[in-house]
Amino acid sequence: MEDQGRSKFKRICVFCGSRSGYKALFSEAALDLGKELVGRKIDLVYGGGSVGLMGLISRTVHDGGCHVLGVIPTALIPHEISGETVGEVKTVADMHERKAEMARQADAFIALPGGYGTMEELLEMITWSQLGIHEKPVWKKDLSSPLRGILLFLLQQLRN
């Protein structure tokens, strides 16, 4: 990928799973997004794990020369860190502090496939935007993940 110069976003927070998921497409999306961030010289803020999609995107961005900041609650360290971490890892007390720190550090948010935690983080950022707590863009990469049905349901509820 050719260098596209510095984006208007300096740091993007990516919410994603600590597992690779059941489709190779999910891992490919994490790698592609990581390469896109590197190509645009955008640093990564993420959940701090070294496994699953988190591990893939963090290694890709770090290996590409961009800064990586992982934010992880103490209770999740045994579950989401396996082996060596990359970049800077900030340990926080709990999930609330994790989301607040990630929101402070990021200029925008993207969600890749993940489980309930990814969904909850994405929905909280959407809620904070709706409440005027932040005015940062929030995107969800649609890979026919389970989040799709839930988000469609929520959008329908908002229209009613």
Side-chain angles (χ1 to χ4, degrees):
M1 173 185 292
E2 67 183 71
D3 179 39
Q4 299 170 11
R6 176 74 64 186
S7 166
K8 70 177 182 174
F9 302 113
K10 293 178 182 163
R11 284 187 226 129
I12 291 184
C13 176
V14 176
F15 300 119
C16 58
S18 60
R19 295 186 181 160
S20 295
Y22 59 92
K23 291 184 178 180
L25 179 66
F26 298 166
S27 294
E28 292 167 15
L31 292 170
D32 289 346
L33 179 56
K35 291 174 187 173
E36 187 70 23
L37 294 176
V38 168
R40 295 175 182 266
K41 298 183 174 129
I42 299 173
D43 295 332
L44 173 68
V45 177
Y46 80 112
S50 64
V51 294
L53 299 181
M54 281 196 276
L56 287 174
I57 193 165
S58 64
R59 281 190 301 279
T60 301
V61 172
H62 184 266
D63 291 350
C66 292
H67 185 261
V68 172
L69 171 62
V71 183
I72 189 163
T74 305
L76 292 183
I77 290 173
H79 306 286
E80 294 185 356
I81 295 183
S82 173
E84 191 173 322
T85 60
V86 297
E88 178 184 356
V89 178
K90 181 173 185 173
T91 304
V92 294
D94 55 37
M95 291 297 287
H96 300 290
E97 192 177 336
R98 177 194 218 179
K99 289 179 288 191
E101 182 63 22
M102 292 168 87
R104 266 192 299 277
Q105 295 289 336
D107 301 318
F109 308 93
I110 298 175
L112 289 172
Y116 294 123
T118 301
M119 177 178 59
E120 191 273 335
E121 290 166 330
L122 172 65
L123 292 175
E124 184 134 5
M125 291 307 114
I126 292 170
T127 301
W128 288 4
S129 177
Q130 185 181 29
L131 294 174
I133 294 170
H134 72 75
E135 295 181 3
K136 300 172 183 180
V138 181
W139 299 285
K140 179 204 167 279
K141 185 145 176 97
D142 186 6
L143 300 171
S144 300
S145 72
L147 287 176
R148 182 175 183 207
I150 293 167
L151 289 175
L152 289 173
F153 168 78
L154 292 172
L155 289 171
Q156 184 178 31
Q157 296 308 306
L158 289 172
R159 288 187 196 121
N160 293 337

